[in-house]
Amino acid sequence: MIRVLLVDDNAIVRRGIASLLAESAEIEVVGEAADGREAVARAAELRPDVVCLDVRMPVMDGVAAAGPLSEKAKVLMLSYSDERHLVTGAIRNGAAGYLVHGRFEPEELEQRIVAVARGEMVLSPAVTPAVFDVLRRAPGSDNDSRQEGLGALTAREREILNLLARGRSNRDIAEELFITNKTVKNHLSRIYEKIGVHSRAEAIALWLGVGDS
């Protein structure tokens, strides 16, 4: 079972999502929180696999909370806002996905949570172009250094990055390349360091900017 923590300052939204997921055979809602600070505490206590996180909340908003939460679990942003700075801020802080309410069918939510739990990146189509464009052209980013880093990738690292950009999870990559999941994680850590990124989404955005090799 995939353990999920729901975080939204609107109790009605939380209960609605919990009700939607109640019949799932793969997902268990293990707790709720009303703001980012409470979410961080609850995540430490409950150890969820995925945190479904709203953006605009009191005390600590979702963009800020995505950082510490992504160290404990996969973070899937669920918000009514598709503002570019909020989307890219959450992704840079480690969120594995960003879904906009009203831009996906209710029955799709379970599929998206399962995908995030497996290590895939999930984005609403409405925010995907903005995420890739802004992350590739982020002001102050050392693009020359990043391009040099891409050139320094080994053949195996480039192979892994290609698979990552095609939506493969760590487990899928390991199975396809006949290596262990731990080896995949080690490769990804080296890739992130070489190309100067901090998240899966940033690595994919940068790679898509130069095309598959």
Side-chain angles (χ1 to χ4, degrees):
M1 294 289 284
I2 298 169
R3 296 167 56 82
V4 173
L5 173 65
L6 302 178
V7 186
D8 196 298
D9 60 325
N10 188 323
I12 294 176
V13 172
R14 295 198 309 270
R15 301 296 165 76
I17 295 174
S19 176
L20 187 65
L21 298 174
E23 301 302 316
S24 173
E26 296 184 83
I27 294 171
E28 177 187 8
V29 176
V30 295
E32 300 179 11
D35 60 67
R37 183 178 298 172
E38 182 184 3
V40 173
R42 294 286 280 162
E45 171 192 351
L46 298 171
R47 299 181 179 277
D49 300 301
V50 176
V51 178
C52 292
L53 182 63
D54 187 23
V55 172
R56 299 187 184 280
M57 296 181 294
V59 185
M60 178 187 287
D61 66 27
V63 174
L69 285 171
S70 65
E71 297 176 2
K72 299 178 174 63
K74 298 291 194 308
V75 174
L76 174 60
M77 310 303 295
L78 292 178
S79 175
Y80 286 98
S81 176
D82 60 1
E83 293 180 45
R84 177 172 292 196
H85 72 284
L86 295 176
V87 177
T88 56
I91 297 298
R92 286 198 186 99
N93 279 353
Y98 196 112
L99 297 181
V100 180
H101 288 296
R103 307 291 181 87
F104 60 92
E105 297 300 320
E107 57 269 19
E108 290 183 274
L109 182 57
E110 178 182 352
Q111 300 170 7
R112 301 296 187 266
I113 291 174
V114 171
V116 167
R118 289 175 176 170
E120 299 175 22
M121 183 175 71
V122 172
L123 297 171
S124 286
V127 305
T128 302
V131 170
F132 287 164
D133 182 61
V134 172
L135 289 177
R136 287 199 299 266
R137 298 171 175 81
S141 65
D142 188 350
N143 289 322
D144 289 340
S145 176
R146 288 184 170 189
Q147 293 299 323
E148 290 175 6
L150 286 170
L153 295 177
T154 65
R156 176 47 61 94
E157 288 167 347
R158 296 171 75 84
E159 190 175 18
I160 288 174
L161 200 44
N162 264 328
L163 292 171
L164 197 72
R166 291 176 181 139
R168 304 292 201 277
S169 68
N170 288 5
R171 183 175 62 183
D172 292 337
I173 294 172
E175 291 177 354
E176 188 160 340
L177 300 181
F178 302 102
I179 57 180
T180 66
N181 193 54
K182 182 178 180 180
T183 299
V184 173
K185 290 181 179 178
N186 290 339
H187 277 302
L188 289 176
S189 293
R190 287 194 291 271
I191 290 169
Y192 292 173
E193 183 177 356
K194 284 184 178 181
I195 65 178
V197 301
H198 303 286
S199 71
R200 200 178 192 91
E202 284 187 284
I204 292 172
L206 183 62
W207 187 246
L208 290 178
V210 300
D212 290 350
S213 300

